[in-house]
Amino acid sequence: MTDSEEAVRTSARGWLTLQLAALGFVGVCGALKAGGGPGSPAPRGIEAVAGVLVLLALLLAVLAVYLVGRTAWPHAVGPDDPDRAARRLRTGLVLTFATVLLTAVAATSSWWPSPDTATAPATPAAGPVEVQVGTSTGSLCGELGRGSGALTLIVQGRTVDVPLSDVTSVTPVADCGSV
């Protein structure tokens, strides 16, 4: 065995440890992806693409481990061509990095925003927010309402729009009856 053959084999044995870690990463991500199930907020198409990417990553990882393992421990008893072994090692490493990339892309589907949290108002679940609004002419107390271009309050059943230029303070209160 020549020095270049031994150098390629030693390098392949070192890289094989990293590859097995990548294969474990793909396996864990695949198990988590399979466990995502019906509660996932991502659209079905995105989930399907993520599942295919994880399976493709798993296949690439197995092929990469085979190529690098074959380089580290060749089947042939005779000498192995160092150039072919180096090409197998390079191909295995490229496939390993592609595996990690595909797995990372597939994992992004789990970060899909949930429809109920994306559109939920910033109010506590206990009920509407009541505020005391100070203006240049006095103050009002009521529930915040939806409006545009003004601060909308619902005061004793009436909707009052206060121009934002007149607002001097906004203070949350527990109950307008106590103010």
Side-chain angles (χ1 to χ4, degrees), residues 1-147:
M1 179 181 335
T2 66
D3 287 341
S4 61
E5 277 182 279
E6 185 58 36
V8 169
R9 285 184 184 178
T10 302
S11 177
R13 289 178 184 140
W15 279 105
L16 196 57
T17 304
L18 174 71
Q19 282 189 305
L20 293 176
L23 184 60
F25 176 66
V26 170
V28 167
C29 287
L32 292 176
K33 182 71 19 218
S40 174
R44 297 278 294 150
I46 299 292
E47 285 292 318
V49 168
V52 168
L53 288 177
V54 167
L55 288 175
L56 181 62
L58 180 63
L59 290 174
L60 287 179
V62 169
L63 179 61
V65 168
Y66 170 76
L67 289 172
V68 174
R70 185 167 172 218
T71 303
W73 293 283
H75 298 298
V77 176
D80 193 14
D81 178 28
D83 291 334
R84 271 185 54 200
R87 274 194 308 275
R88 267 194 319 264
L89 177 61
R90 268 192 305 278
T91 302
L93 295 179
V94 167
L95 290 176
T96 300
F97 290 113
T99 295
V100 172
L101 179 67
L102 285 175
T103 305
V105 169
T108 61
S109 72
S110 65
W111 297 328
W112 201 269
S114 175
D116 55 329
T117 58
T119 60
T123 59
V129 174
E130 293 189 342
V131 293
Q132 183 172 6
V133 177
T135 67
S136 54
T137 59
S139 68
L140 296 167
C141 190
E143 292 178 17
L144 282 176
R146 292 191 184 258

Side-chain angles (χ1 to χ4, degrees), residues 155-167:
V155 181
Q156 299 174 349
R158 282 186 355 206
T159 301
V160 179
D161 287 331
V162 180
L164 293 177
S165 60
D166 291 348
V167 174

